[in-house]
Amino acid sequence: MAIDSSGGEIDHFDRKIMDALVEDGRMTITELSKRVGLSKTPCQVRLKRLMEEGYILGFHARLDPQKLGLDHIAFAEVKLSDTREKALDEFNSRVAKIKEVEECHMIAGQFDYLLKVRTSDVKKYRQVLGEKISSLPHVASTSTFVVMQAIKERGL
């Protein structure tokens, strides 16, 4: 058994349940129980516990960005002029509202944040960078890296 960061315990069945649901979050409890090697009731009890304890945060549809015309991915490094807690909180709350920003990570290093930004094309990216990202509180500078090809994008 592995101990999680909150002190709870998860075992190989819990891991199998989570791995299976990452692959296909729409499978029935019958399919899931067969996949992990448990009968339906214990599988359902474990699934409920994993959700209640916050291991499983929700279920979402994965959309095809290309079919939606969102082929352009760029990573933006963002340096802030102020990194005190209040400034970070202001930046964090505002960047979370920009729909084109798929991911935002605070970084230890030469810059403060790394943003993954998805748009239809470079022109739209320039607009998002200029009108939304650069106008966020305390942004001192940005630097952009354009993705030529996404090899792997799916998380856990």
Side-chain angles (χ1 to χ4, degrees), residues 18-79:
M18 291 185 285
D19 289 344
L21 290 173
V22 165
E23 285 181 37
D24 179 5
R26 293 185 58 169
M27 74 174 62
T28 65
I29 196 70
T30 301
E31 292 173 76
L32 182 60
S33 63
K34 286 179 187 173
R35 176 91 66 96
V36 301
L38 290 170
S39 61
K40 283 175 33 177
T41 301
C43 188
Q44 200 162 26
V45 167
R46 284 173 177 266
L47 176 59
K48 184 178 180 198
R49 179 181 53 80
L50 290 169
M51 290 173 16
E52 287 172 352
E53 292 180 1
Y55 291 98
I56 298 173
L57 299 176
F59 296 90
H60 310 278
R62 279 192 21 232
L63 306 178
D64 185 331
Q66 283 73 34
K67 288 188 178 188
L68 295 170
L70 299 171
D71 298 42
H72 189 268
I73 303 169
F75 286 89
E77 294 178 351
V78 178
K79 289 184 184 182

Side-chain angles (χ1 to χ4, degrees), residues 100-137:
E100 293 88 355
V101 175
E102 282 190 351
E103 297 179 18
C104 176
H105 304 273
M106 184 185 283
I107 303 294
Q110 299 289 323
F111 54 95
D112 299 304
Y113 288 92
L114 182 64
L115 280 54
K116 180 182 178 186
V117 184
R118 186 181 294 273
T119 58
S120 57
D121 54 35
V122 72
K123 183 178 178 183
K124 178 65 176 171
Y125 173 74
R126 281 183 34 224
Q127 180 184 13
V128 169
L129 180 65
E131 295 177 13
K132 296 181 181 182
I133 296 170
S134 294
S135 66
L136 289 169

